[in-house]
Amino acid sequence: MANEITSKTSLVALFGDPVEHSISPQIQNQAFKTLQLPLVYLAFRVSKEELPQAVAGAWAMGFMGFNVTIPHKQAMLSLVDELAPSARILGAVNTVRREGKKLIGYNTDGEGFTRAMQEELGITPEGKRFLLLGAGGAARAVALTLAQQGAERIIVANRTVERAQSLAQDIAAIGGDVTAISLEGLPRWTETAQVIINTSPVGMYPNVDQEPLLPEELIHQDHVVCDLIYNPRSTRLLVQAAKKGARTMDGLGMLLWQGALACEIWTGKLPPIAPLEAAASRALAEK
Ligand code: NAP
């Protein structure tokens, strides 16, 4: 529980479908507690059809803001009054803040990844070459943010190559240097990359023994290997990469930073990461 609940407590919410798996309530309530703010964060299962009513209800009841997750990130674009550059560039909203008479849509997903990479590994995107495994929603947020923050080159490898090509078009449209390949192209292209990021769910609980998309023999000690999966934190891909002497980063940092940045958008205060990590680890251990 965050602080004592009184009639002055404001609500912040998560709207998604499903939401039962989410550990955002534990992360955000820890943030509010650490910052000693009179706020409570609750997750609500909201269907696609009922999103407009949920947004109207949040407005009527004076919520300070809310997060949206799958399947609402695109639909939310047309339900806010204004879009911050982050949401406009990613074509998706994950954070909404009430500002006076307006709802403003933001997106902290991509910056969540780049902040985690900077804090945990000391790496910024500028001038670096990245290889992304997967081309879904998470890949899109990460790749567009990397391009926007000055990545030298982005290679998108996907099982369905048309989806990689479609993401590549969007990256090129904001000025990124990008190559779309199939998974069969990995032996040729992996050497080019400095940072490899698994954005697919391959290796996620309960399928922890699934063969990673990147064959182990293609990883070398100069690579940095990241996985967006945070359950488990130590995926088979990261274990293989560490065995090869590569530096690694798991997906929890991205989750924590996207949450911390959302908290900053609502409250103007960036929470410290360590208590959020402890709360998230407790929540994951209970799953
Ligand atoms: P998504 O939109 O469904 O995209 C999944 C991607 O993975 C697609 O490119 C898909 O390829 C590929 N893929 C799935 N199963 C595959 C398989 N068996 N073999 C080869 N490719 C496969 O999912 P998403 O929303 O991007 O999420 C992806 C992962 O990121 C999940 O594990 C999620 O938990 C994680 N994530 C983490 C964070 C964080 O904060 N750390 C945030 C968001 C997401 P096709 O196009 O060929 O289907």
Side-chain angles (χ1 to χ4, degrees), residues 70 73 109 133-139 157-161 163 183 198-202 204 210 213 227-230 251-256 258:
I70 290 167
K73 290 187 180 184
D109 284 332
L133 308 167
N158 198 43
R159 174 176 63 181
T160 311
V161 73
R163 207 167 171 198
L183 297 178
N198 175 47
T199 72
S200 81
V202 174
M204 186 166 74
Q210 227 174 341
L213 297 184
D227 205 324
L228 300 195
I229 293 170
Y230 52 84
L252 191 62
M254 174 177 174
L255 183 74
L256 298 175
Q258 65 77 28

Side-chain angles (χ1 to χ4, degrees), residues 1 24 47 52 70 106 113-114 134 145 147 155 166 169 177 261 279 281:
M1 186 49 61
S24 288
S47 69
I70 290 167
Y106 298 79
F113 177 79
T114 57
T145 306
I155 301 152
S166 165
Q169 274 182 4
D177 182 341
L261 294 167
S281 299

Side-chain angles (χ1 to χ4, degrees), residues 60-75:
M61 288 187 277
F63 286 22
M64 175 169 252
F66 50 90
N67 284 132
V68 296
T69 187
I70 290 167
H72 303 317
K73 290 187 180 184
Q74 274 83 35

Side-chain angles (χ1 to χ4, degrees), residues 148-231:
Q148 197 210 354
Q149 294 184 8
E152 180 187 310
R153 181 147 204 203
I154 299 170
I155 301 152
V156 182
N158 198 43
R159 174 176 63 181
T160 311
V161 73
E162 293 77 16
R163 207 167 171 198
Q165 286 162 345
S166 165
L167 175 55
Q169 274 182 4
D170 293 344
I171 297 168
I174 62 161
D177 182 341
V178 59
T179 308
I181 63 168
S182 66
L183 297 178
E184 289 68 40
L186 286 171
R188 173 163 173 229
W189 286 96
T190 305
E191 186 65 30
T192 309
Q194 295 160 296
V195 182
I196 299 165
I197 310 164
N198 175 47
T199 72
S200 81
V202 174
M204 186 166 74
Y205 179 84
N207 303 312
V208 296
D209 291 327
Q210 227 174 341
E211 190 68 45
L213 297 184
L214 187 68
E216 185 176 351
E217 61 271 19
L218 298 179
I219 305 172
H220 59 67
Q221 63 174 15
D222 296 330
H223 280 133
V224 173
V225 181
C226 308
D227 205 324
L228 300 195
I229 293 170
Y230 52 84
N231 188 20

Side-chain angles (χ1 to χ4, degrees), residues 28 49 72 77 79 155 195 210 218 238 244:
Q28 293 296 352
E49 297 69 34
H72 303 317
L77 288 168
L79 293 173
I155 301 152
V195 182
Q210 227 174 341
L218 298 179
L238 294 189
K244 289 294 190 80

